[in-house]
Amino acid sequence: QGVGQDTGMHGVLDITDAQTAFFPTAQALAQLEMASTALIIIIAGAIYALMSERLKTHRVINEELRLKHNTDLVSGAAMRGHFLDDLKRTVASHRKSGSVALVIIDIDHLKQINDALGHGAGDDVLGFCARIARQAFPGASVGRLGGDELAVFFSSDDVIPERSVTDACSAYLATLREGLFIANRRQAV
């Protein structure tokens, strides 16, 4: 008996019709497999995008933590240990060729500024001195050695002319003499 013929038994299917109804064709299976594969690819892409974003976020956070760990919060200069390690690596890499210039900066009267105007004013002076060092010695590493001492170093694959170091130091000192405003008055450093 074929489909659609009245057998007198309403609601009962012939077994051949049941097999066709419950077992999909090869074409239907192939389409289902393609749809499943496409869904898996879409889910994998979404997971990849999410993990990439999280990885970027973690990299940013790690960089911020590294900077906080290696940067003096008062002056914005490199912390002593990080600065000295960087200096040692640079000297070692320029031992056979090139040169490294090191400038030590001692900030005069910082204790008196701290005592007279408060530690906030002293912190402003340290920050100012470090900022000016970065400007006067472009591309140099600036570090806080401790208390009222900063240091600057820069390197070159060639010999660094003494004149360029002297000129940079002179520009630094000239800017320091212009001073900064502390408690509404200009303070030379």
Side-chain angles (χ1 to χ4, degrees):
Q1 295 175 350
V3 176
Q5 293 179 346
D6 188 7
T7 61
M9 298 174 49
H10 296 280
V12 178
L13 285 176
D14 186 330
I15 188 73
T16 57
D17 293 337
Q19 285 176 345
T20 306
F22 293 115
F23 297 106
T25 64
Q27 182 182 4
L29 284 174
Q31 289 175 341
L32 183 60
E33 187 176 339
M34 283 178 39
S36 297
T37 302
L39 183 60
I40 289 170
I41 290 171
I42 290 169
I43 291 171
I47 290 171
Y48 176 79
L50 178 65
M51 295 307 290
S52 292
E53 255 332 286
R54 286 192 175 189
L55 185 59
K56 286 178 192 173
T57 301
H58 284 288
R59 285 183 182 145
V60 168
I61 291 170
N62 283 340
E63 181 62 16
E64 288 173 359
L65 289 174
R66 186 190 66 76
L67 286 175
K68 283 182 181 177
H69 177 71
N70 293 330
T71 304
D72 177 61
L73 297 177
V74 172
S75 66
M79 301 260 296
R80 175 187 178 93
H82 178 70
F83 178 82
L84 293 175
D85 288 345
D86 197 16
L87 177 61
K88 286 176 193 173
R89 279 191 300 276
T90 302
V91 167
S93 70
H94 288 80
R95 191 172 306 279
K96 293 186 180 180
S97 67
S99 56
V100 178
L102 174 66
V103 178
I104 305 293
I105 301 166
D106 182 56
I107 304 167
D108 291 337
H109 313 296
L110 185 63
K111 182 179 179 348
Q112 290 84 347
I113 292 170
N114 278 336
D115 292 344
L117 302 171
H119 287 277
D123 292 351
D124 289 345
V125 169
L126 281 167
F128 174 72
C129 290
R131 256 189 331 277
I132 299 307
R134 284 189 289 276
Q135 291 171 8
F137 303 93
S141 294
V142 179
R144 183 172 181 196
L145 300 181
D148 61 355
E149 288 184 337
L150 298 174
V152 176
F153 80 84
F154 51 98
S155 61
S156 174
D157 291 335
D158 299 316
V159 173
I160 298 172
E162 184 178 331
R163 183 74 181 163
S164 67
V165 177
T166 303
D167 289 347
C169 288
S170 295
Y172 179 74
L173 292 172
T175 305
L176 288 181
R177 284 186 201 103
E178 291 174 15
L180 75 156
F181 281 95
I182 300 175
N184 294 324
R185 65 177 226 188
R186 183 169 293 280
Q187 177 71 43
V189 181

